[in-house]
Short mmCIF file of all heavy atoms in Angstrom, two decimals:
data_model
loop_
_atom_site.label_atom_id
_atom_site.label_comp_id
_atom_site.label_asym_id
_atom_site.label_seq_id
_atom_site.Cartn_x
_atom_site.Cartn_y
_atom_site.Cartn_z
N LYS A 1243 45.30 -96.55 16.87
CA LYS A 1243 44.85 -95.45 17.71
C LYS A 1243 45.24 -95.69 19.16
O LYS A 1243 45.67 -94.77 19.87
CB LYS A 1243 43.34 -95.30 17.57
CG LYS A 1243 42.76 -94.15 18.37
CD LYS A 1243 41.26 -94.02 18.12
CE LYS A 1243 40.67 -92.85 18.89
NZ LYS A 1243 39.21 -92.71 18.65
N GLU A 1244 45.13 -96.94 19.60
CA GLU A 1244 45.46 -97.28 20.99
C GLU A 1244 46.95 -97.06 21.27
O GLU A 1244 47.32 -96.69 22.40
CB GLU A 1244 45.09 -98.74 21.28
CG GLU A 1244 43.59 -99.03 21.31
CD GLU A 1244 42.94 -98.99 19.93
OE1 GLU A 1244 43.69 -99.17 18.94
OE2 GLU A 1244 41.72 -98.78 19.85
N GLU A 1245 47.79 -97.28 20.27
CA GLU A 1245 49.23 -97.08 20.46
C GLU A 1245 49.60 -95.61 20.52
O GLU A 1245 50.60 -95.24 21.16
CB GLU A 1245 50.00 -97.76 19.34
CG GLU A 1245 49.97 -99.28 19.38
CD GLU A 1245 50.65 -99.90 18.17
OE1 GLU A 1245 50.43 -99.42 17.04
OE2 GLU A 1245 51.40 -100.88 18.35
N LEU A 1246 48.81 -94.76 19.89
CA LEU A 1246 49.14 -93.33 19.83
C LEU A 1246 48.53 -92.53 20.98
O LEU A 1246 49.21 -91.65 21.54
CB LEU A 1246 48.65 -92.74 18.50
CG LEU A 1246 49.44 -93.16 17.25
CD1 LEU A 1246 48.73 -92.68 16.00
CD2 LEU A 1246 50.86 -92.59 17.30
N VAL A 1247 47.30 -92.81 21.33
CA VAL A 1247 46.62 -92.03 22.38
C VAL A 1247 47.36 -92.19 23.72
O VAL A 1247 47.68 -93.29 24.14
CB VAL A 1247 45.15 -92.46 22.52
CG1 VAL A 1247 44.50 -91.78 23.72
CG2 VAL A 1247 44.38 -92.13 21.24
N GLY A 1248 47.62 -91.05 24.33
CA GLY A 1248 48.33 -91.05 25.61
C GLY A 1248 49.82 -90.85 25.47
O GLY A 1248 50.52 -90.58 26.45
N GLN A 1249 50.34 -90.96 24.24
CA GLN A 1249 51.76 -90.76 24.00
C GLN A 1249 52.00 -89.30 23.61
O GLN A 1249 51.10 -88.59 23.16
CB GLN A 1249 52.25 -91.67 22.88
CG GLN A 1249 52.06 -93.16 23.15
CD GLN A 1249 52.87 -93.64 24.33
OE1 GLN A 1249 53.99 -93.17 24.57
NE2 GLN A 1249 52.31 -94.55 25.10
N ASN A 1250 53.26 -88.87 23.76
CA ASN A 1250 53.61 -87.52 23.33
C ASN A 1250 53.74 -87.50 21.82
O ASN A 1250 54.14 -88.49 21.21
CB ASN A 1250 54.92 -87.07 23.98
CG ASN A 1250 55.11 -85.56 23.86
OD1 ASN A 1250 55.50 -85.05 22.81
ND2 ASN A 1250 54.84 -84.86 24.94
N ILE A 1251 53.43 -86.36 21.24
CA ILE A 1251 53.46 -86.25 19.78
C ILE A 1251 54.87 -86.44 19.22
O ILE A 1251 55.06 -86.71 18.03
CB ILE A 1251 52.89 -84.88 19.34
CG1 ILE A 1251 52.55 -84.92 17.84
CG2 ILE A 1251 53.84 -83.76 19.67
CD1 ILE A 1251 51.78 -83.71 17.37
N SER A 1252 55.88 -86.31 20.07
CA SER A 1252 57.26 -86.55 19.64
C SER A 1252 57.48 -88.00 19.22
O SER A 1252 58.49 -88.33 18.60
CB SER A 1252 58.24 -86.20 20.76
OG SER A 1252 57.99 -86.99 21.91
N MET A 1253 56.53 -88.88 19.54
CA MET A 1253 56.61 -90.28 19.13
C MET A 1253 56.63 -90.39 17.61
O MET A 1253 57.27 -91.29 17.05
CB MET A 1253 55.42 -91.04 19.70
CG MET A 1253 55.39 -92.53 19.38
SD MET A 1253 53.97 -93.30 20.18
CE MET A 1253 54.19 -95.01 19.73
N VAL A 1254 55.94 -89.50 16.93
CA VAL A 1254 55.89 -89.53 15.46
C VAL A 1254 56.56 -88.32 14.84
O VAL A 1254 56.86 -88.32 13.64
CB VAL A 1254 54.43 -89.63 14.97
CG1 VAL A 1254 53.84 -90.98 15.32
CG2 VAL A 1254 53.57 -88.50 15.53
N ILE A 1255 56.77 -87.27 15.62
CA ILE A 1255 57.45 -86.07 15.11
C ILE A 1255 58.68 -85.83 15.99
O ILE A 1255 58.59 -85.19 17.04
CB ILE A 1255 56.53 -84.84 15.14
CG1 ILE A 1255 55.24 -85.14 14.38
CG2 ILE A 1255 57.22 -83.63 14.53
CD1 ILE A 1255 54.22 -84.03 14.40
N PRO A 1256 59.84 -86.37 15.60
CA PRO A 1256 61.05 -86.27 16.43
C PRO A 1256 61.39 -84.83 16.80
O PRO A 1256 61.82 -84.56 17.91
CB PRO A 1256 62.13 -86.91 15.55
CG PRO A 1256 61.39 -87.84 14.66
CD PRO A 1256 60.08 -87.16 14.38
N LYS A 1257 61.20 -83.89 15.87
CA LYS A 1257 61.52 -82.49 16.15
C LYS A 1257 60.30 -81.79 16.75
O LYS A 1257 59.87 -80.73 16.31
CB LYS A 1257 61.98 -81.78 14.88
CG LYS A 1257 63.32 -82.28 14.36
CD LYS A 1257 63.81 -81.44 13.20
CE LYS A 1257 65.19 -81.91 12.74
NZ LYS A 1257 65.69 -81.11 11.60
N GLU A 1258 59.76 -82.40 17.79
CA GLU A 1258 58.54 -81.89 18.40
C GLU A 1258 58.77 -80.54 19.07
O GLU A 1258 57.82 -79.80 19.32
CB GLU A 1258 58.04 -82.92 19.43
CG GLU A 1258 56.64 -82.66 19.97
CD GLU A 1258 56.66 -81.83 21.24
OE1 GLU A 1258 57.72 -81.82 21.91
OE2 GLU A 1258 55.64 -81.21 21.57
N GLU A 1259 60.04 -80.18 19.32
CA GLU A 1259 60.29 -78.90 19.99
C GLU A 1259 59.80 -77.73 19.13
O GLU A 1259 59.45 -76.67 19.64
CB GLU A 1259 61.79 -78.72 20.28
CG GLU A 1259 62.69 -78.61 19.05
CD GLU A 1259 63.17 -79.97 18.57
OE1 GLU A 1259 62.66 -80.98 19.06
OE2 GLU A 1259 64.07 -80.00 17.72
N LEU A 1260 59.76 -77.94 17.77
CA LEU A 1260 59.22 -76.89 16.90
C LEU A 1260 57.74 -76.65 17.21
O LEU A 1260 57.28 -75.51 17.27
CB LEU A 1260 59.40 -77.29 15.44
CG LEU A 1260 60.84 -77.44 14.95
CD1 LEU A 1260 60.86 -77.96 13.53
CD2 LEU A 1260 61.58 -76.11 15.05
N LEU A 1261 57.01 -77.74 17.40
CA LEU A 1261 55.60 -77.61 17.74
C LEU A 1261 55.43 -77.06 19.15
O LEU A 1261 54.51 -76.30 19.42
CB LEU A 1261 54.91 -78.97 17.61
CG LEU A 1261 54.99 -79.64 16.23
CD1 LEU A 1261 54.24 -80.96 16.25
CD2 LEU A 1261 54.45 -78.73 15.16
N HIS A 1262 56.33 -77.47 20.04
CA HIS A 1262 56.25 -76.97 21.42
C HIS A 1262 56.42 -75.45 21.45
O HIS A 1262 55.67 -74.74 22.14
CB HIS A 1262 57.32 -77.64 22.27
CG HIS A 1262 57.36 -77.15 23.69
ND1 HIS A 1262 56.38 -77.48 24.61
CD2 HIS A 1262 58.25 -76.34 24.34
CE1 HIS A 1262 56.67 -76.89 25.77
NE2 HIS A 1262 57.78 -76.20 25.62
N LYS A 1263 57.37 -74.95 20.68
CA LYS A 1263 57.59 -73.50 20.62
C LYS A 1263 56.36 -72.81 20.05
O LYS A 1263 55.97 -71.72 20.50
CB LYS A 1263 58.81 -73.19 19.77
CG LYS A 1263 60.13 -73.62 20.41
CD LYS A 1263 61.30 -73.31 19.50
CE LYS A 1263 62.61 -73.76 20.13
NZ LYS A 1263 63.77 -73.50 19.23
N ALA A 1264 55.73 -73.42 19.04
CA ALA A 1264 54.54 -72.83 18.45
C ALA A 1264 53.40 -72.77 19.46
O ALA A 1264 52.66 -71.79 19.55
CB ALA A 1264 54.12 -73.63 17.22
N ARG A 1265 53.26 -73.85 20.25
CA ARG A 1265 52.19 -73.87 21.27
C ARG A 1265 52.43 -72.80 22.33
O ARG A 1265 51.51 -72.08 22.73
CB ARG A 1265 52.12 -75.26 21.92
CG ARG A 1265 51.65 -76.35 20.98
CD ARG A 1265 51.28 -77.60 21.75
NE ARG A 1265 52.40 -78.17 22.47
CZ ARG A 1265 53.21 -79.10 21.99
NH1 ARG A 1265 53.01 -79.56 20.75
NH2 ARG A 1265 54.20 -79.58 22.71
N GLN A 1266 53.67 -72.69 22.78
CA GLN A 1266 53.99 -71.69 23.79
C GLN A 1266 53.79 -70.28 23.25
O GLN A 1266 53.34 -69.38 23.96
CB GLN A 1266 55.44 -71.87 24.26
CG GLN A 1266 55.69 -73.20 24.96
CD GLN A 1266 54.77 -73.42 26.14
OE1 GLN A 1266 54.60 -72.55 26.98
NE2 GLN A 1266 54.16 -74.60 26.20
N LYS A 1267 54.12 -70.11 21.97
CA LYS A 1267 53.95 -68.81 21.34
C LYS A 1267 52.49 -68.37 21.38
O LYS A 1267 52.17 -67.21 21.63
CB LYS A 1267 54.45 -68.89 19.89
CG LYS A 1267 54.37 -67.58 19.13
CD LYS A 1267 54.92 -67.78 17.72
CE LYS A 1267 54.84 -66.50 16.91
NZ LYS A 1267 55.34 -66.68 15.53
N TYR A 1268 51.60 -69.34 21.15
CA TYR A 1268 50.17 -69.00 21.18
C TYR A 1268 49.68 -68.77 22.61
O TYR A 1268 48.98 -67.80 22.90
CB TYR A 1268 49.34 -70.11 20.53
CG TYR A 1268 47.86 -69.84 20.64
CD1 TYR A 1268 47.22 -69.00 19.74
CD2 TYR A 1268 47.11 -70.41 21.68
CE1 TYR A 1268 45.87 -68.73 19.87
CE2 TYR A 1268 45.76 -70.14 21.80
CZ TYR A 1268 45.14 -69.30 20.89
OH TYR A 1268 43.81 -69.03 21.02
N LEU A 1269 50.06 -69.67 23.51
CA LEU A 1269 49.53 -69.62 24.88
C LEU A 1269 49.96 -68.36 25.61
O LEU A 1269 49.20 -67.78 26.37
CB LEU A 1269 49.97 -70.86 25.66
CG LEU A 1269 49.37 -72.20 25.16
CD1 LEU A 1269 49.98 -73.36 25.93
CD2 LEU A 1269 47.85 -72.19 25.31
N PHE A 1270 51.21 -67.94 25.38
CA PHE A 1270 51.73 -66.79 26.15
C PHE A 1270 51.63 -65.48 25.39
O PHE A 1270 51.46 -64.43 25.98
CB PHE A 1270 53.18 -67.05 26.55
CG PHE A 1270 53.33 -68.19 27.53
CD1 PHE A 1270 53.88 -69.40 27.13
CD2 PHE A 1270 52.89 -68.08 28.84
CE1 PHE A 1270 54.01 -70.47 28.01
CE2 PHE A 1270 53.01 -69.13 29.73
CZ PHE A 1270 53.57 -70.33 29.31
N LEU A 1271 51.77 -65.52 24.09
CA LEU A 1271 51.77 -64.29 23.31
C LEU A 1271 50.50 -64.10 22.49
O LEU A 1271 50.28 -63.05 21.90
CB LEU A 1271 52.98 -64.26 22.36
CG LEU A 1271 54.35 -64.39 23.02
CD1 LEU A 1271 55.45 -64.40 21.96
CD2 LEU A 1271 54.58 -63.25 24.01
N LYS A 1272 49.67 -65.18 22.45
CA LYS A 1272 48.43 -65.14 21.68
C LYS A 1272 48.67 -64.83 20.20
O LYS A 1272 47.84 -64.22 19.53
CB LYS A 1272 47.45 -64.10 22.26
CG LYS A 1272 47.07 -64.36 23.71
CD LYS A 1272 46.42 -65.74 23.87
CE LYS A 1272 46.04 -66.00 25.32
NZ LYS A 1272 45.47 -67.35 25.52
N GLU A 1273 49.82 -65.27 19.71
CA GLU A 1273 50.12 -65.08 18.30
C GLU A 1273 49.71 -66.32 17.51
O GLU A 1273 49.68 -67.43 18.02
CB GLU A 1273 51.63 -64.83 18.09
CG GLU A 1273 52.10 -63.52 18.71
CD GLU A 1273 53.57 -63.27 18.43
OE1 GLU A 1273 54.15 -64.01 17.61
OE2 GLU A 1273 54.14 -62.34 19.01
N GLN A 1274 49.41 -66.10 16.23
CA GLN A 1274 48.94 -67.18 15.38
C GLN A 1274 50.02 -68.25 15.21
O GLN A 1274 51.19 -67.96 15.03
CB GLN A 1274 48.56 -66.64 13.99
CG GLN A 1274 48.03 -67.69 13.03
CD GLN A 1274 46.75 -68.33 13.55
OE1 GLN A 1274 45.91 -67.67 14.11
NE2 GLN A 1274 46.63 -69.62 13.35
N ILE A 1275 49.58 -69.50 15.28
CA ILE A 1275 50.51 -70.61 15.09
C ILE A 1275 50.81 -70.76 13.60
O ILE A 1275 49.96 -70.53 12.75
CB ILE A 1275 49.92 -71.92 15.65
CG1 ILE A 1275 49.80 -71.79 17.17
CG2 ILE A 1275 50.75 -73.13 15.30
CD1 ILE A 1275 49.27 -73.01 17.84
N SER A 1276 52.05 -71.18 13.29
CA SER A 1276 52.47 -71.34 11.89
C SER A 1276 51.60 -72.35 11.17
O SER A 1276 51.19 -73.36 11.73
CB SER A 1276 53.93 -71.78 11.84
OG SER A 1276 54.75 -70.83 12.45
N GLN A 1277 51.33 -72.06 9.91
CA GLN A 1277 50.53 -72.96 9.08
C GLN A 1277 51.42 -73.60 8.02
O GLN A 1277 52.41 -73.02 7.57
CB GLN A 1277 49.41 -72.17 8.40
CG GLN A 1277 48.48 -71.47 9.38
CD GLN A 1277 47.63 -72.44 10.18
OE1 GLN A 1277 47.02 -73.35 9.64
NE2 GLN A 1277 47.60 -72.27 11.49
N ASP A 1278 51.04 -74.81 7.60
CA ASP A 1278 51.74 -75.52 6.52
C ASP A 1278 53.24 -75.61 6.76
O ASP A 1278 54.06 -75.21 5.94
CB ASP A 1278 51.46 -74.84 5.19
CG ASP A 1278 49.97 -74.86 4.84
OD1 ASP A 1278 49.28 -75.80 5.28
OD2 ASP A 1278 49.51 -73.94 4.15
#
Side-chain angles (χ1 to χ4, degrees):
K1243 182 177 181 180
E1244 291 72 23
E1245 290 175 316
L1246 288 171
V1247 173
Q1249 301 296 325
N1250 196 281
I1251 196 171
S1252 60
M1253 181 178 182
V1254 292
I1255 305 177
K1257 292 187 176 179
E1258 191 268 338
E1259 65 271 10
L1260 297 175
L1261 302 181
H1262 177 72
K1263 291 178 181 178
R1265 293 194 298 268
Q1266 296 304 312
K1267 182 179 180 182
Y1268 176 83
L1269 293 175
F1270 294 109
L1271 302 178
K1272 300 302 180 183
E1273 295 183 10
Q1274 181 62 39
I1275 294 181
S1276 300
Q1277 301 291 312
D1278 298 331

